[in-house]
Amino acid sequence: MMYTVNFMNLASCYIENNTSALDQTYTYQFKNEPVEIGKRVLVNFNYRECVAFVDSIEMNSSKTFPYEIKPILSVLDEQPILNAEMIDLAKWISKTSISTVISALQAMVPPALKPKSNDIKIKMEKWVRPLDDHTKTPKQAMLYERLIKEGEMKRSEWLKLSSLSKKLEEMGCVEIFAKEKRTYEEVIEKKPCHIVLNEEQKYAVERILHSSKDVIALKGVTGSGKTEVYLHAAEAVLKQGREVLILVPEISLTPLMVKRVQERFGNDVAIYHSGLSAQQKYEQYQSVRGKEKRIVVGTRSAVFMPFSDLGLIILDEEHDLSYKQDQNCRYHARDVALHRAKTHHARVVLASATPSLDTMARALKKVYELVEIKHRVNQSLPHVKLINMNEVIRKKQSYILSDEMITEMRKTLDRKQQIILLLNRRGYQPILRCSQCGKVLMCPHCDKPLVLHKEKNTLNCHLCGTVLKRIYECPQCHGKLSGSGFGTQMLEEKVAQLFPDARLIRMDADTTTRKNAHETLLKAFENHEADILLGTQMISKGLDFENVTLVGILQGDAMLARSDYRSAELTFDLLTQASGRSGRGNTNGKVLIQVYDEDHYAIQCALKQDYDSFFRHEMQYRHLAGYPPYTYLCALTFISKDESGSDEANHVMKLLKEKDFKVLGVSELLKIQDEKRYRICVKSKSLELLQKEIYDVYQHHRTSKSRVKLHIDMNPLTLDD
């Protein structure tokens, strides 16, 4: 049966459901409702009410449809929450990452505005304003005149002014209305800047502002003053009346960067990261949308803030994996930043002491302009030394902290200086093995050993989040369980035993779950309330503490054991970045790295802080193996409860091989949450061709009735199991 609509207003909408089968617009009709592109509307879909985003509108349309056109039930926004640029950006992300449009839209807005039916509500509060000039007593008139002078005020403050406030409300002299709640913001005083840039820093600022290239690859050694370069460039852009975005990879770095930026620009700074509440995110989002604030500091998701005239985007530590979203819409913040910069005619600065190979390759090919800062502000790089743990164990020293590490720690503490210890493994012990049958205690839902967390006496799976009560006997043969390896909890215990008078702070995923935990812990260390900061990779970069003169890195070569083509790059980055935390003040720093494989080129280059040599070595291996940046890569993971995922993966692999792609797989990955995973990797010299063919695979899968889930990761940063 066909349905004809005559002179009817039609809206094409994306439904909140993220299922790939629904990745298209659905048409609804409306009459006099204030429907606009970029607004959220409430519609009926599949016999239930849900939220949708308006993508396009046709006024007074006359069309015939093979189904009845349902009406829009209500409009949820007074003003569009996304403009044309952001909607186009969502479609670009969907196309380039091979994901649903709605997943991109959901990634772009704060939780309170997501096109999703949830319980997050925007907080409102009651305000009052003058309404009518009734006859009043002299005292009432005085109170009313004060309200007229204010224009409007919070009702709670209004009622505190006088006992007559309520009477004026009852008389109809005052209107009570709802207004979005805004968190009180203290006035931040700007501090005068007395820092004088050196010649390298001045040159970097000049190139950022005046280069013929729109993208600057800023390669500066750790401690070279890159942040001050950002601030000087940002100041120049703000003077032009334009906006600035500064991205940092992790929440742990946000408080430090925010402090520096607020000291320079005061209350003109918006903050946006995952540690904020839904209400706080909404308020920060609206402050940028309303042009109240012109500079934003945040993590990955801040790249979607609603700028109107963006002039400069800075990605600090641009090499970091945290810039890549690894679920649903798998975008890379760097790619989004580059795309938005083209729209706004803005400059992009990709800054790091250890630039990603992709960025450096483009810089050497003159696609980006390469600007280098080769010297530290204090002109002194730390002394780095390797400790061979094979020899340490042969001498029957501790496999956790070598004698040399302990000696240097004691000397540092005696000098009243501070220490950072890096161990990129949390928990107490990563493996529990039966001393009788030899079996490792595994997660019941994943192919992953359970990790002992001694503090809460639990066994945790770091893949699926399963938490079990600790057991002491093998569940199969009742033999005694013994642990091997060590994590940050055991390291903390060991250090406390060796240095009972030292004050410790541990930073890992277990100690930073509370709100503002990162900021609180780092501030305490900055204020010398602790002598030793130990933790995972979240403390390896961006920290600037002048009193830290010793950095100890434990299991420095652990990542080399990963089955990933980027394992050497990740190892070099981690060691170089962590080493850079030492000796940033006036006292020379020292770095001790405990490793088993001291001859690996990534280790040797990190020892010498030699990025250029590492780049040459690694690029040779990437070229031989045909990995990025010499090719483009896509990982397709097929997920199922049974073997059907393997069958579908093999079928797709054959189809892609016929297209003359280089296809690796099918590889069976670790089981996660009782689901089997099968992956194929596709390599191509042409990104456009790769995206086109993978999109065809996606389209076929989304329209099929297969129960196998397909995860597509264009340009994956890691291929570990």
Side-chain angles (χ1 to χ4, degrees):
M1 183 175 179
M2 303 298 289
Y3 295 86
T4 302
V5 295
N6 293 311
F7 305 107
M8 191 168 289
N9 301 329
L10 302 177
S12 296
C13 307
Y14 284 102
I15 304 299
E16 68 180 61
N17 196 311
N18 193 25
T19 305
S20 60
L22 304 179
D23 187 24
Q24 63 184 63
T25 57
Y26 293 86
T27 303
Y28 290 85
Q29 59 171 293
F30 64 98
K31 294 182 180 178
N32 299 319
E33 295 89 346
V35 176
E36 295 181 63
I37 295 172
K39 283 186 175 182
R40 297 170 303 154
V41 293
L42 190 66
V43 297
N44 189 299
F45 184 82
N46 198 24
Y47 304 104
R48 71 177 183 89
E49 292 184 0
C50 64
V51 179
F53 241 116
V54 178
D55 176 64
S56 62
I57 292 173
E58 289 185 61
M59 306 298 288
N60 299 319
S61 179
S62 296
K63 286 187 176 181
T64 301
F65 294 89
Y67 45 80
E68 184 179 1
I69 304 299
K70 296 178 181 179
I72 287 176
L73 301 178
S74 64
V75 180
L76 302 180
D77 305 305
E78 291 184 8
Q79 300 293 330
I81 63 174
L82 290 178
N83 57 24
E85 182 223 344
M86 300 304 285
I87 293 175
D88 288 343
L89 178 63
K91 293 177 180 178
W92 176 83
I93 292 172
S94 169
K95 179 181 177 182
T96 55
S97 65
I98 321 295
S99 57
T100 63
V101 174
I102 196 65
S103 68
L105 290 169
Q106 288 174 337
M108 292 167 66
V109 294
L113 295 177
K114 285 186 184 295
K116 183 177 181 181
S117 302
N118 55 37
D119 295 328
I120 298 175
K121 304 297 181 184
I122 298 168
K123 292 183 180 180
M124 308 293 287
E125 56 188 0
K126 291 182 179 179
W127 282 59
V128 295
R129 58 191 169 206
L131 179 64
D132 192 14
D133 193 12
H134 288 71
T135 302
K136 308 173 189 67
T137 66
K139 288 186 177 180
Q140 290 173 343
M142 287 178 61
L143 180 61
Y144 188 72
E145 285 298 323
R146 179 165 179 177
L147 180 59
I148 291 176
K149 187 177 180 180
E150 292 287 337
E152 60 185 29
M153 66 172 63
K154 290 182 183 180
R155 186 167 183 256
S156 58
E157 296 176 358
W158 162 252
L159 293 175
K160 289 177 183 178
L161 291 178
S162 170
S163 58
L164 298 174
S165 300
K166 192 81 171 176
K167 182 63 177 177
L168 288 176
E169 291 180 7
E170 294 171 355
M171 292 169 58
C173 299
V174 174
E175 179 185 14
I176 303 173
F177 65 100
K179 193 173 181 180
E180 290 180 3
K181 185 176 181 180
R182 299 297 294 268
T183 303
Y184 172 74
E185 187 176 64
E186 294 183 5
V187 176
I188 301 171
E189 292 187 12
K190 300 178 184 179
K191 294 184 178 180
C193 177
H194 301 297
I195 297 175
V196 178
L197 299 184
N198 60 36
E199 292 305 313
E200 285 187 315
Q201 290 174 310
K202 289 178 182 177
Y203 179 75
V205 173
E206 191 276 332
R207 298 316 300 149
I208 290 171
L209 298 175
H210 302 111
S211 172
S212 60
K213 304 285 186 184
D214 291 330
V215 183
I216 309 298
L218 178 60
K219 176 175 173 281
V221 298
T222 56
S224 61
K226 293 188 292 296
T227 301
E228 200 57 43
V229 170
Y230 308 157
L231 296 177
H232 275 75
E235 188 173 18
V237 172
L238 291 173
K239 284 180 180 178
Q240 299 169 6
R242 307 191 72 189
E243 298 157 317
V244 175
L245 170 62
I246 301 177
L247 294 175
V248 293
E250 295 188 24
I251 296 177
S252 60
L253 301 181
T254 309
L256 301 174
M257 183 64 76
V258 167
K259 180 183 177 183
R260 293 282 300 274
V261 179
Q262 285 181 333
E263 286 177 352
R264 192 68 56 87
F265 303 110
N267 288 90
D268 203 9
V269 183
I271 307 161
Y272 199 85
H273 56 77
S274 61
L276 302 179
S277 67
Q279 179 66 20
Q280 288 172 323
K281 287 182 179 179
Y282 173 76
E283 291 179 15
Q284 296 296 307
Y285 186 89
Q286 292 293 69
S287 70
V288 176
R289 185 178 169 204
K291 302 180 183 179
E292 299 169 28
K293 304 197 175 190
R294 298 181 301 145
I295 183 166
V296 175
V297 178
T299 51
R300 181 179 61 225
S301 56
V303 76
F304 296 119
M305 291 294 266
F307 297 103
S308 56
D309 187 13
L310 191 53
L312 177 65
I313 304 174
I314 297 167
L315 271 78
D316 189 34
E317 313 292 0
E318 68 85 22
H319 66 278
D320 199 277
L321 300 184
S322 300
Y323 283 123
K324 178 71 181 285
Q325 166 71 18
D326 59 2
Q327 293 180 348
N328 295 326
C329 172
R330 291 173 170 81
Y331 68 89
H332 196 301
R334 178 188 60 214
D335 298 333
V336 177
L338 293 171
H339 187 79
R340 293 200 74 183
K342 288 181 181 178
T343 303
H344 287 266
H345 304 289
R347 293 292 176 91
V348 178
V349 178
L350 303 177
S352 176
T354 56
S356 65
L357 268 64
D358 306 65
T359 294
M360 181 54 71
R362 287 177 173 83
L364 294 177
K365 288 183 177 180
K366 310 295 184 183
V367 177
Y368 306 155
E369 177 165 350
L370 177 62
V371 177
E372 295 190 68
I373 306 179
K374 298 181 179 181
H375 302 92
R376 272 192 165 191
V377 172
N378 66 5
Q379 300 294 318
S380 176
L381 283 169
H383 173 69
V384 185
K385 183 180 179 182
L386 298 180
I387 298 176
N388 189 317
M389 293 304 290
N390 295 305
E391 295 179 5
V392 166
I393 293 172
R394 275 197 295 269
K395 294 176 182 177
K396 297 184 179 181
Q397 298 176 21
S398 168
Y399 73 99
I400 299 177
L401 291 169
S402 63
D403 286 359
E404 184 174 358
M405 184 76 77
I406 294 170
T407 299
E408 287 299 327
M409 290 177 65
R410 184 167 286 114
K411 289 179 181 178
T412 304
L413 293 173
D414 289 343
R415 294 192 298 265
K416 306 299 182 183
Q417 295 166 352
Q418 291 172 295
I419 301 167
I420 289 179
L421 292 180
L422 171 67
L423 172 61
N424 200 23
R425 174 172 282 172
R426 65 188 177 99
Y428 190 80
Q429 285 183 309
I431 292 177
L432 291 177
R433 188 186 303 273
C434 176
S435 57
Q436 195 163 300
C437 69
K439 289 191 176 180
V440 174
L441 198 61
M442 304 291 288
C443 172
H445 307 293
C446 306
D447 293 332
K448 194 76 172 177
L450 288 167
V451 179
L452 172 62
H453 284 242
K454 189 177 179 181
E455 288 180 338
K456 296 184 178 179
N457 224 25
T458 58
L459 300 170
N460 295 24
C461 176
H462 292 173
L463 274 182
C464 71
T466 293
V467 178
L468 302 175
K469 187 177 180 181
R470 181 180 180 180
I471 59 175
Y472 297 87
E473 291 184 350
C474 175
Q476 295 189 18
C477 71
H478 303 290
K480 184 180 178 181
L481 292 173
S482 59
S484 61
F486 64 99
T488 50
Q489 289 181 13
M490 182 183 284
L491 176 60
E492 181 182 31
E493 183 178 275
K494 178 73 172 178
V495 172
Q497 291 170 357
L498 290 168
F499 307 101
D501 296 329
R503 299 163 298 171
L504 306 180
I505 288 178
R506 191 180 94 235
M507 277 191 71
D508 54 28
D510 300 310
T511 63
T512 55
T513 54
R514 290 185 179 181
K515 188 176 180 180
N516 299 325
H518 296 86
E519 183 175 4
T520 302
L521 294 174
L522 291 175
K523 191 170 185 179
F525 190 65
E526 182 182 21
N527 293 336
H528 298 188
E529 295 171 24
D531 306 299
I532 302 173
L533 173 66
L534 63 89
T536 54
Q537 64 177 359
M538 66 174 64
I539 66 169
S540 67
K541 50 188 173 290
L543 306 185
D544 188 1
F545 301 120
E546 291 189 358
N547 200 43
V548 172
T549 58
L550 176 64
V551 169
I553 304 174
L554 285 62
Q555 298 184 350
D557 54 348
M559 278 194 290
L560 293 175
R562 292 174 55 172
S563 57
D564 182 43
Y565 77 99
R566 283 170 56 93
S567 60
E569 183 180 0
L570 295 175
T571 299
F572 175 80
D573 290 348
L574 182 69
L575 298 184
T576 304
Q577 292 286 339
S579 298
R581 302 314 107 207
S582 180
R584 298 173 74 92
N586 296 322
T587 306
N588 292 336
K590 191 167 188 176
V591 181
L592 298 178
I593 306 176
Q594 296 186 168
V595 296
Y596 290 89
D597 183 6
E598 65 179 355
D599 294 326
H600 193 282
Y601 66 92
I603 304 295
Q604 285 297 316
C605 290
L607 170 67
K608 301 168 187 174
Q609 302 279 288
D610 189 350
Y611 175 88
D612 294 337
S613 292
F614 172 77
F615 179 81
R616 290 192 295 271
H617 270 89
E618 185 64 10
M619 287 292 278
Q620 289 177 354
Y621 288 113
R622 296 282 183 93
H623 185 263
L624 288 171
Y627 276 113
Y630 290 100
T631 60
Y632 296 99
L633 191 64
C634 179
L636 296 95
T637 306
F638 300 82
I639 305 169
S640 60
K641 295 287 185 182
D642 52 26
E643 303 297 327
S644 57
S646 175
D647 296 337
E648 191 161 329
N650 277 289
H651 174 68
V652 172
M653 180 184 67
K654 291 176 183 177
L655 292 177
L656 290 172
K657 281 187 173 181
E658 291 175 1
K659 302 288 185 178
D660 204 27
F661 286 117
K662 177 70 174 178
V663 184
L664 307 178
V666 174
S667 304
E668 184 172 0
L669 307 181
L670 300 177
K671 179 183 70 176
I672 298 180
Q673 292 182 318
D674 297 315
E675 292 182 319
K676 297 183 176 182
R677 303 182 303 143
Y678 304 90
R679 184 181 66 204
I680 59 176
C681 294
V682 190
K683 297 179 182 178
S684 175
K685 291 283 188 180
S686 168
L687 179 60
E688 292 74 17
L689 180 60
L690 181 61
Q691 289 174 335
K692 177 182 179 300
E693 295 300 335
I694 299 301
Y695 183 76
D696 289 344
V697 172
Y698 165 75
Q699 286 288 76
H700 179 268
H701 184 269
R702 83 176 192 86
T703 55
S704 69
K705 296 183 179 180
S706 172
R707 293 188 178 182
V708 176
K709 290 185 286 187
L710 173 60
H711 288 175
I712 299 174
D713 192 355
M714 291 295 301
N715 301 314
L717 296 186
T718 60
L719 289 176
D720 210 354
D721 287 344

